Amino acid sequence: MLTLKNISTRYGAIKALTDVSLEVEKGAVATLIGANGAGKSTTLRSIMGLCQPYEGEVLFEGKKINGIPTHRIAAMGIALVPEGRAVFANLTVLENLELGGYLQRDHGKLKRDIEHVYEVFPRLKERLAQMAGTLSGGEQQMLAIGRALMAHPRLLLLDEPSLGLAPLMVHAIFEAIDRINKEGTTVLLVEQNANLALKRSQKAYVLETGRIIMQGSSAELANDPRVKEAYLGD
Amino acid sequence: MESFLQQLINGISLGSIYALVALGYTMVYGVLRLINFAHGDVYMLGAYFGYYLSRLVQGRTPSHLLDAAVVMILSMIGCALIGVIMERFAYRPVRRASRLTLLIIAIGVSLLIENASQLIFGANPRFFPQLIPETHIHMGNLMLTNQQVIVLVTALALMILLNLFIYRSRTGKAMRAVSYNLDAAKLMGIDTDRIISLTFALGSALAAAGGILVSINIPGIDPLMGVMTGLKAFVAAVLGGIGNIFGAVLGGLILGLAEVMVAGYGSSTYRDAIAFLILIAILLFKPSGLLGKGQVEKV
Ligand SMILES: Nc1ncnc2c1ncn2[C@@H]1O[C@H](COP(=O)(O)OP(=O)(O)O)[C@@H](O)[C@H]1O
Ligand SMILES: [Mg+2]
C-alpha cells in the first residue's frame, strides 16, 4: 500500500533521512521506532509532502506521490496525526472534526462520520462545544485521531500518539487504534515507546540517525538482543 | 452634551473606516504572519478606482444610492484582484524567507504602488465626484449628514458579513484553521494557497470599501492618501491585538474616537499624533494588544 524507495530528506544543510526504504502492507499495522531525533517525524512528513525528499520515491497504492501538494495527498486517502497533536486549539471540538471532514461536502454523511468518531471516542461527544485547547492531553490525542478519521483514510500515519499521556490513557488510545485497524484502515505507527509499538504491530523498522538499521516482524525484533538493549530498556 | 454626542458619532464614523482597513492587516497577519505594508496603498487604489468608476457609472442607474453601490462593489472587486496579484507575485515566492525579507518586500510593494500611482493618476489631488448629494438629518440639536449614515451603515454591514463568513462558513472555518496552524490545515485537505489568496482578496476589498467611504465624506484623494490611513489602521490592528478580528474593529473604533476627541477638545494639531502615542503606549504596556493572546510576536 505504501512504499518508500531510498528516500533522503534534509532541512537546509542538515541531513535528516538517508536512503530510507520501507513498506506497509494493506490492512497491516507497521511501526517505526527510534530514539528522539532519529528522523521518525521527518519520515512521516516526507510521506505527506510537508518535507520534500530530494532523492527517492514515495509510492501510495503504486502511484508516486512525492512532489504532490500536501492537501492533495490528504485527499488521496492518507491522514497524518502529527506529533504534539496539532489540534486547532481556538476552535471547538466539533469544528475540529468538521475540518477533518473538510472534503466531505455531503452534510448527512458528515454528520454520520462525526457520530462514528463519537462512537470510537465517547469522551469527545461530552466535550463537543468546548475549545480544543482546553482539553486534556489525552482528549486532544483522541480529537486528533478522530479528526483524521473524518477523512476516511485508507492509510493512517500516527506520530507518537502515546507521548506525554498517562498509562490508562495510552491504553485507551491503543485500543482505539486497534479498532480503527480492524475496521479496515492500514496503520503506520511511529513510537518511542517501542515496547508498546512492537506488541501492537506486525512489522517493524528501527530508525537511527536517519537510516533504517533493522527491520523484521515485530515479534522478531521484540526478541532481538540489540533492540532489547537499545529500545526496550532491559 | 450635544456637541459630545456629535463628536461621538464623528468618531465612530471615522473609527469604522479605520476598522475596515485594520481588518485587512489583521487577516493577512493571521494567515501569513506578515505585516502587509502595502495595504494602505490598496485603500488608496480603492478610492482611485472609485473615482474613475464614478465617472462611468454616475447617472446611469435609477438612483444615487445604486450608483454608489455599483461603484463600491466594482472597486472592491478591482482591489480584491490587486490583492490576489500582490500575494501571488510578491509574497508567495518568498513565503519561506525570513521575516526581515518579507518586511522589506512589503515596503517595496508599497513604494511601487505609490510611485506607479503618481505616474498614472498624477501627483495632484483629485476631487472625488459627489455620488450622493448631501442632505442633513436633524435629531434634536444633533445634526447628521446622510453621508455619515451611509458610511456607518455600510461599514457595519460589511463587518457583520465578514464575521458571518469567518465564523459560519466552511471556507471561513478553513481560514481560521490556516491562521492557527498552516501545516495542520494542509493535512485536512485544505488548499491553503487558495485560502491565503482569498484572505488577500477579502482584506483588499474591505480596504477599497474604506477608501470609497472616506471619499464620500472627504472628497480629496491623492496617491499618498494611503500612507497615513494605512499607518493608523495598522496601529488600530496592533491596539486590538494583531491577528484578532474583533480586535481590529475595537482598535479602529478607539482610534477614531480618540482622534476626534483630541481634535474637538484639544487641538487639531495633535490629531495625527494620538495614533502614535497609542502605538507607543500599547507596545510598552501590552504588546499583544487589548484582545491579543498574550504571546508577543516580533515583527
Ligand atoms: N524544522 C527543522 N529544521 C531543522 N532540522 C530539523 C527540523 N525538524 C527536525 N530536524 C532535525 O532532523 C532530525 C530528525 O528529526 P525528527 O524527524 O523530528 O526526529 P524524531 O521524530 O525521530 O524525533 C533531527 O536531527 C532534528 O534536529
Ligand atoms: Mg518526532
Side-chain angles (χ1 to χ4, degrees):
Chain A
M1 167 160 259
L2 176 76
T3 311
L4 306 193
K5 273 193 191 161
N6 310 97
I7 66 161
S8 301
T9 305
R10 62 182 164 215
Y11 296 101
I14 305 163
K15 218 167 171 191
L17 296 181
T18 312
D19 222 12
V20 168
S21 295
L22 61 80
E23 172 113 37
V24 183
E25 266 158 46
K26 193 168 182 332
V29 177
T31 189
L32 180 63
I33 58 178
N36 200 8
K40 304 181 297 298
S41 299
T42 305
T43 306
L44 298 187
R45 293 171 57 81
S46 300
I47 297 169
M48 290 310 297
L50 291 170
C51 299
Q52 288 301 333
Y54 64 91
E55 260 171 22
E57 282 193 331
V58 181
L59 301 172
F60 178 59
E61 295 175 335
K63 240 181 96 185
K64 178 176 173 244
I65 59 167
N66 47 322
I68 296 179
T70 302
H71 69 275
R72 301 243 312 275
I73 295 177
M76 292 170 82
I78 311 183
L80 166 64
V81 178
E83 184 174 339
R85 321 184 234 284
V87 296
F88 300 110
N90 54 341
L91 272 66
T92 66
V93 168
L94 181 61
E95 285 176 320
N96 268 271
L97 293 179
E98 285 168 351
L99 276 166
Y102 180 74
L103 297 172
Q104 176 59 270
R105 282 169 172 279
D106 181 326
H107 242 270
K109 283 191 186 141
L110 194 68
K111 280 234 167 74
R112 275 201 297 279
D113 291 342
I114 292 174
E115 282 308 316
H116 177 249
V117 171
Y118 288 155
E119 215 181 284
V120 181
F121 299 113
R123 284 277 269 278
L124 293 181
K125 187 165 191 170
E126 300 160 22
R127 308 250 186 282
L128 80 167
Q130 211 167 308
M131 289 292 157
T134 66
L135 299 178
S136 75
E139 289 164 348
Q140 287 192 16
Q141 189 64 57
M142 290 175 175
L143 179 57
I145 297 174
R147 185 180 66 177
L149 287 184
M150 289 293 298
H152 294 281
R154 294 193 294 287
L155 174 65
L156 180 63
L157 312 174
L158 294 151
D159 198 345
E160 302 206 34
S162 74
L163 194 72
L165 303 186
L168 217 60
M169 194 51 97
V170 173
H171 182 77
I173 295 285
F174 273 81
E175 286 303 303
I177 295 171
D178 254 354
R179 171 178 178 169
I180 292 161
N181 177 244
K182 293 220 169 69
E183 287 176 358
T185 308
T186 308
V187 174
L188 174 56
L189 172 66
V190 156
E191 267 297 342
Q192 272 190 66
N193 186 340
N195 219 332
L196 200 58
L198 290 175
K199 265 186 209 137
R200 300 283 184 158
S201 59
Q202 293 97 48
K203 195 165 179 194
Y205 293 85
V206 181
L207 198 59
E208 203 177 277
T209 53
R211 293 172 190 272
I212 302 278
I213 56 156
M214 265 188 265
Q215 65 185 74
S217 82
S218 300
E220 247 168 56
L221 283 193
N223 287 316
D224 188 294
R226 286 168 300 170
V227 174
K228 276 187 170 169
E229 199 199 315
Y231 301 101
L232 300 178
D234 55 37
Chain B
M1 189 62 207
E2 279 83 23
S3 104
F4 177 76
L5 274 178
Q6 187 79 56
Q7 300 287 15
L8 200 64
I9 292 167
N10 294 344
I12 291 174
S13 184
L14 180 65
S16 62
I17 305 260
Y18 289 149
L20 283 179
V21 183
L23 280 167
Y25 275 110
T26 231
M27 285 161 64
V28 163
Y29 184 86
V31 294
L32 282 190
R33 303 294 181 268
L34 159 79
I35 305 289
N36 178 16
F37 273 108
H39 188 59
D41 303 306
V42 175
Y43 155 91
M44 174 275 295
L45 285 178
Y48 270 93
F49 287 167
Y51 170 82
Y52 289 108
L53 284 163
S54 297
R55 307 208 304 191
L56 288 176
V57 171
Q58 198 163 28
R60 301 267 166 90
T61 78
S63 81
H64 296 303
L65 264 182
L66 204 57
D67 277 357
V70 169
V71 165
M72 179 141 165
I73 288 168
L74 290 179
S75 166
M76 285 171 78
I77 293 172
C79 281
L81 280 175
I82 296 279
V84 168
I85 291 169
M86 189 193 296
E87 188 273 328
R88 180 66 189 78
F89 294 104
Y91 299 133
R92 193 177 300 181
V94 289
R95 201 173 288 163
R96 282 165 207 281
S98 72
R99 287 256 174 113
L100 188 62
T101 310
L102 282 173
L103 199 66
I104 290 167
I105 287 181
I107 292 169
V109 173
S110 169
L111 289 174
L112 177 73
I113 297 179
E114 283 162 19
N115 287 295
S117 300
Q118 288 182 325
L119 205 66
I120 297 166
F121 308 135
N124 292 329
R126 305 237 175 172
F127 193 79
F128 197 88
Q130 195 177 44
L131 285 168
I132 301 162
E134 191 176 61
T135 56
H136 296 258
I137 302 165
H138 293 274
M139 291 193 303
N141 287 329
L142 222 57
M143 201 273 292
L144 277 172
T145 68
N146 59 337
Q147 297 172 342
Q148 275 178 317
V149 175
I150 287 167
V151 168
L152 267 176
V153 171
T154 313
L156 190 68
L158 286 172
M159 286 186 249
I160 290 173
L161 281 177
L162 179 75
N163 193 54
L164 285 176
F165 173 76
I166 290 179
Y167 288 95
R168 295 288 161 82
S169 77
R170 174 174 173 271
T171 310
K173 207 182 298 153
M175 200 179 266
R176 283 183 287 148
V178 168
S179 94
Y180 194 76
N181 185 334
L182 186 69
D183 278 351
K186 289 178 184 167
L187 292 172
M188 305 296 107
I190 296 168
D191 183 348
T192 52
D193 281 346
R194 220 194 91 232
I195 298 288
I196 289 169
S197 210
L198 179 70
T199 307
F200 272 83
L202 279 178
S204 303
L206 292 177
I212 303 254
L213 292 177
V214 158
S215 308
I216 286 177
N217 259 347
I218 312 160
I221 65 173
D222 71 87
L224 297 181
M225 67 187 275
V227 177
M228 191 52 97
T229 306
L231 265 172
K232 287 179 182 170
F234 169 65
V235 171
V238 172
L239 171 61
I242 189 128
N244 185 307
I245 300 284
F246 294 110
V249 175
L250 182 68
L253 290 177
I254 293 177
L255 192 60
L257 281 168
E259 229 179 73
V260 167
M261 295 298 169
V262 165
Y265 295 104
S267 149
S268 55
T269 338
Y270 296 118
R271 196 187 166 108
D272 289 338
I274 187 73
F276 301 100
L277 279 179
I278 289 179
L279 181 64
I280 292 165
I282 199 86
L283 290 178
L284 280 177
F285 299 113
K286 200 165 185 309
S288 58
L290 296 174
L291 304 182
K293 282 284 170 337
Q295 85 266 25
V296 184
E297 293 257 11
K298 287 211 177 74
V299 270

